[in-house]
């Protein structure tokens, strides 16, 4: 088979159909794995990953999905597709149904033991989901399971199509049609082929293809170890009722557990081959088999005339939907600890540069007496003694226990941010907002150096209050406006537009409240 689109360009009304078509786009990559993943390299073994995950649908199941729909959709009659699937098959059916047949109603029947990320992934792709109890991998003919229920629905309603990947020969024949010829063309010297066995479609199709095209190829199937579970493949016992000719498609079978599958997949990803656990599963099965053949002295019998043993295994899908499971299955020392992890539970609200004002801009904004705009309120977070000694006229003092003049920026010290955020978030409750009459006000927040006020602004904004912080804090305010320290009366006159000296009388009385005082003394009042 040959690609008719060497530039990998797709355009026009059928661009997406062409983008999905294995006959048009270049062959999916076949990549030799690095020696770090190949313990048999010095024995003349070369191992190649067939990256089925690089198809636009990102998983190996797109080939069966396309082939089964092509053979079974009745134009103008089929309106709904329903399938029991753990994820990849039914997602691929949804994509292929829309792209090629205009069918948008695709329903997923699946186990109630399906992980939350996979359920959300199927919701993301627009699937209508129904969960079923019982075994996560029911036998196809078990009347209590979802496979049988999907089959019955397809039989009872002519508008419903149940492709039934477990019984539909279009499943495995897709790999005779596309995947096998691609691999053979890319690596004519192939000696050993390895694939996992779930529905057994991939292994059956590839096994049948090479049985005819190159019978010397050793065909290795991989099953899940008894009592264990890897997403996709099945145990050998669960293959018994599968009617595909899988027994005639394999020369040997290996069993692999979930820990090895996830661990090897993780290693592959870190070496640059991004793939999911079933890909690690396939490679581990291959390595197990090669190890046994080396141990009994028959490894060289698998090689070609040049003494090189070319092996291909299938990379089935991507790892992202299984991330939580990696942390359950793989040793914890494989993952770096997260520094400042405590911050994951605090500082939860958004920031915006527009909410951080330069000192001069802040003075102008909070000195406005425009009756058409919300009144301005300035909240000062500094200690009471510092506030009394020097403050902006008319501001409220709402002191923080977790901050003083020497406290580092919360953005430089994680423990400071954690303490301050928790205190501010608790302090700026509905009661505080009401007591200080902050609702529907233009609220300014000031602290010593500006960063704590920035945190408080984020919290206020999250609570629906229009708030801004003053960049650089009180220190920047006094540095950029020296008159604030030198002549508080003159600055206040200029700032507020008040010229009547009697209105500049100092007020020493603090307004008491259960949240803290409001103090209206002038800056550096004598």
């Amino acid at each position: 088979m040959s690609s008719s689109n060497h530039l990998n360009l797709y355009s026009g009304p059928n661009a997406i159909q062409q983008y999905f078509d294995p006959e048009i786009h270049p062959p999916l990559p076949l990549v030799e794995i690095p020696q770090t993943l190949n313990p048999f390299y010095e024995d003349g073994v070369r191992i190649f990953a067939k990256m089925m995950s690089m198809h636009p649908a990102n998983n190996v199941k797109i080939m069966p999905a396309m082939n089964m729909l092509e053979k079974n959709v009745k134009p103008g009659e089929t309106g709904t597709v329903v399938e029991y699937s753990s994820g990849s098959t039914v997602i691929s059916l949804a994509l292929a149904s829309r792209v090629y047949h205009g069918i948008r109603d695709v329903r997923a029947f699946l186990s109630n033991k399906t992980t939350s990320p996979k359920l959300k992934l199927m919701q993301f792709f627009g699937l209508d989901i129904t969960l079923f109890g019982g075994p996560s991998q029911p036998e196809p003919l078990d009347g209590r399971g979802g496979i049988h229920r999907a089959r019955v629905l397809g039989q009872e309603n002519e508008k419903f199509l149940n492709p039934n990947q477990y019984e539909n020969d279009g499943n495995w024949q897709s790999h005779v049609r596309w995947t096998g010829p691609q691999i053979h063309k890319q690596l004519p010297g192939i000696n050993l082929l390895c694939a996992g066995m779930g529905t057994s479609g991939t292994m059956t199709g590839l096994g049948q293809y090479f049985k005819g095209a190159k019978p010397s190829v050793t065909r290795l199937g991989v099953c899940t170890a008894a009592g264990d579970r890897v997403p996709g493949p099945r145990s050998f016992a669960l293959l018994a009722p599968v009617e595909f000719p899988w027994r005639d498609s394999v020369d040997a079978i290996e069993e692999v557990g979930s820990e090895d599958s996830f661990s090897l997949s993780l290693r592959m990803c870190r070496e640059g081959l991004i793939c999911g656990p079933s890909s690690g599963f396939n490679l581990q099965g291959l390595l197990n088999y090669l190890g046994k053949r080396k141990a009994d002295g028959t490894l060289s019998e698998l090689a070609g005339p040049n003494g090189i043993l070319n092996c291909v295994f299938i990379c089935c899908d991507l790892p992202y939907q299984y991330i939580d499971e990696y942390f359950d299955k793989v040793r914890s020392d494989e993952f770096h600890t997260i520094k400042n992890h405590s911050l994951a539970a605090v500082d939860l609200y958004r920031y915006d540069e527009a909410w951080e004002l330069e000192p001069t801009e802040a003075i102008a904004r909070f000195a406005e007496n425009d009756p058409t705009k919300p009144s301005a309120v300035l909240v000062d977070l500094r200690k009471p003694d510092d506030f009394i000694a020097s403050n902006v006229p008319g501001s409220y003092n709402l002191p923080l226990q977790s901050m003083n003049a020497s406290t580092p920026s919360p953005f430089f010290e994680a423990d400071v941010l954690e303490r301050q955020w928790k205190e501010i978030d608790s302090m700026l409750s509905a009661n505080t907002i009401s007591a200080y009459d902050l609702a529907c006000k233009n609220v300014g927040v000031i602290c010593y150096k500006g960063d704590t006020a920035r945190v408080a602004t984020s919290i206020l904004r999250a609570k629906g209050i229009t708030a801004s912080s003053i960049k650089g804090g009180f220190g920047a305010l006094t540095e950029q406006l020296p008159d604030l320290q030198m002549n508080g009366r003159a600055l206040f006159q200029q700032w507020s537009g008040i010229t009547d000296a009697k209105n500049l009388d100092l007020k020493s009385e603090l307004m008491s409240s259960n949240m803290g005082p409001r103090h209206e003394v002038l800056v550096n009042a004598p």
Side-chain angles (χ1 to χ4, degrees):
M1 62 187 304
S2 62
S3 167
S4 60
N5 185 12
H6 298 293
L7 294 179
N8 216 7
L9 171 68
Y10 311 91
S11 62
N14 296 322
I16 303 298
Q17 295 178 8
Q18 295 174 2
Y19 179 49
F20 270 63
D21 190 345
E23 300 286 351
I24 294 179
H25 62 61
L28 298 175
L30 188 65
V31 185
E32 183 176 359
I33 67 173
Q35 294 183 43
T36 54
L37 296 172
N38 180 5
F40 303 101
Y41 188 86
E42 297 301 328
D43 299 301
V45 176
R46 303 295 180 265
I47 300 176
F48 294 82
K50 178 60 174 175
M51 304 300 293
M52 302 302 291
S53 56
M54 294 300 291
H55 185 276
N58 295 134
N59 72 78
V60 68
K61 297 296 188 178
I62 187 64
M63 304 300 183
M66 292 169 58
N67 204 44
M68 289 188 295
L69 290 173
E70 180 182 316
K71 296 178 181 298
N72 292 279
V73 166
K74 298 178 181 178
E77 182 175 321
T78 303
T80 298
V81 173
V82 58
E83 182 75 356
Y84 187 93
S85 165
S86 61
S88 294
T89 296
V90 77
I91 289 173
S92 293
L93 284 169
L95 292 170
S97 292
R98 293 174 190 138
V99 169
Y100 287 102
H101 307 284
I103 299 172
R104 311 195 72 82
D105 183 11
V106 179
R107 304 184 185 184
F109 285 9
L110 66 160
S111 169
N112 64 332
K113 298 163 186 63
T114 305
T115 62
S116 177
K118 290 186 74 172
L119 290 174
K120 290 180 179 177
L121 184 66
M122 283 184 270
Q123 287 180 301
F124 176 86
F125 281 105
L127 288 156
D128 183 331
I129 300 170
T130 301
L131 300 181
F132 289 84
S136 60
Q137 294 179 318
E139 293 188 5
L141 299 179
D142 187 343
R144 299 163 294 181
I147 297 175
H148 179 72
R149 299 281 287 278
R151 181 194 298 110
V152 170
L153 188 58
Q155 292 171 345
E156 292 179 345
N157 191 327
E158 61 182 13
K159 293 185 177 180
F160 280 72
L161 168 63
N162 170 223
N164 194 351
Q165 61 177 320
Y166 304 93
E167 299 176 355
N168 191 327
D169 287 338
N171 178 344
W172 64 268
Q173 289 170 355
S174 67
H175 298 293
V176 176
R177 179 181 180 184
W178 291 311
T179 314
Q182 275 196 14
I183 294 172
H184 197 187
K185 179 181 179 182
Q186 291 171 304
L187 189 65
I190 181 174
N191 308 113
L192 191 157
L193 176 79
C194 175
M197 301 178 73
T199 64
S200 78
T202 304
M203 188 66 244
T204 298
L206 292 174
Q208 290 297 305
Y209 172 79
F210 281 103
K211 179 182 179 180
K214 190 176 182 182
S216 62
V217 172
T218 299
R219 303 162 301 169
L220 175 65
V222 188
C223 294
T224 309
D228 206 344
R229 180 180 178 276
V230 178
R234 290 174 164 240
S235 67
F236 183 77
L238 287 176
L239 285 174
V242 176
E243 297 182 358
F244 294 160
W246 60 268
R247 295 170 182 83
D248 185 47
S249 304
V250 295
D251 301 303
I253 289 179
E254 287 290 330
E255 293 183 337
V256 173
S258 57
E259 290 187 10
D260 288 338
S261 301
F262 279 87
S263 295
L264 191 49
S265 165
L266 180 68
R267 290 180 58 200
M268 291 171 65
C269 287
R270 290 178 176 178
E271 293 291 342
L273 292 169
I274 311 302
C275 60
S278 56
S279 304
F281 172 85
N282 292 341
L283 177 55
Q284 187 64 59
L286 173 60
L287 296 178
N288 290 351
Y289 181 71
L290 294 174
K292 291 177 181 178
R293 294 296 295 251
K294 181 176 180 179
D296 63 20
T298 61
L299 184 61
S300 61
E301 296 177 6
L302 302 174
N306 60 357
I308 298 297
L309 172 53
N310 290 312
C311 306
V312 174
F313 72 99
I314 302 299
C315 278
C316 307
D317 60 4
L318 297 175
Y320 307 113
Q321 68 201 70
Y322 309 105
I323 292 299
D324 288 347
E325 293 175 77
Y326 280 92
F327 285 85
D328 291 334
K329 298 291 185 179
V330 180
R331 297 194 325 267
S332 59
D333 60 6
E334 288 287 348
F335 304 98
H336 290 291
T337 57
I338 299 175
K339 299 175 179 65
N340 298 336
H341 191 262
S342 61
L343 295 187
V346 300
D347 196 28
L348 304 177
Y349 312 131
R350 67 178 289 247
Y351 289 81
D352 193 313
E353 292 181 0
W355 303 343
E356 191 174 30
L357 307 178
E358 295 293 338
T360 51
E361 182 183 2
I363 287 295
R365 178 173 297 189
F366 293 105
E368 287 181 342
N369 289 313
D370 187 343
T372 66
K373 296 182 178 180
S375 57
V377 176
L378 190 62
V379 175
D380 193 319
L381 303 177
R382 295 175 301 146
K383 294 295 187 185
D385 288 347
D386 296 324
F387 177 77
I388 292 172
S390 180
N391 65 71
V392 175
S395 59
Y396 286 97
N397 185 209
L398 198 61
L400 296 184
Q401 296 298 316
S402 57
M403 179 187 68
N404 57 43
S406 62
T407 302
S409 165
F411 301 117
F412 296 159
E413 298 287 345
D415 60 333
V416 172
L417 177 55
E418 182 181 6
R419 290 196 306 271
Q420 290 188 358
W421 190 89
K422 287 180 178 179
E423 182 182 357
I424 296 170
D425 191 51
S426 175
M427 182 174 63
L428 292 176
S429 64
N431 289 338
T432 309
I433 291 170
S434 176
Y436 279 80
D437 194 25
L438 302 183
C440 301
K441 299 291 181 65
N442 185 8
V443 179
V445 188
I446 193 168
C447 63
Y448 292 102
K449 301 171 186 176
D451 287 348
T452 300
R454 189 178 180 217
V455 175
T457 295
S458 171
I459 294 172
L460 281 166
R461 288 276 182 168
K463 296 178 184 293
I465 305 301
T466 302
S468 304
S469 64
I470 298 177
K471 191 173 184 178
F474 202 83
L477 197 67
T478 55
E479 285 179 7
Q480 295 190 31
L481 302 170
D483 286 344
L484 193 63
Q485 289 184 329
M486 296 173 59
N487 190 339
R489 289 177 181 270
L491 176 67
F492 186 52
Q493 284 180 312
Q494 180 181 0
W495 176 30
S496 62
I498 298 175
T499 57
D500 187 349
K502 70 180 181 180
N503 289 325
L504 299 179
D505 291 341
L506 303 182
K507 296 181 180 180
S508 59
E509 180 180 356
L510 296 177
M511 296 179 63
S512 300
S513 76
N514 60 342
M515 297 297 176
R518 176 182 181 182
H519 196 38
E520 292 185 328
V521 299
L522 295 180
V523 178
N524 285 338

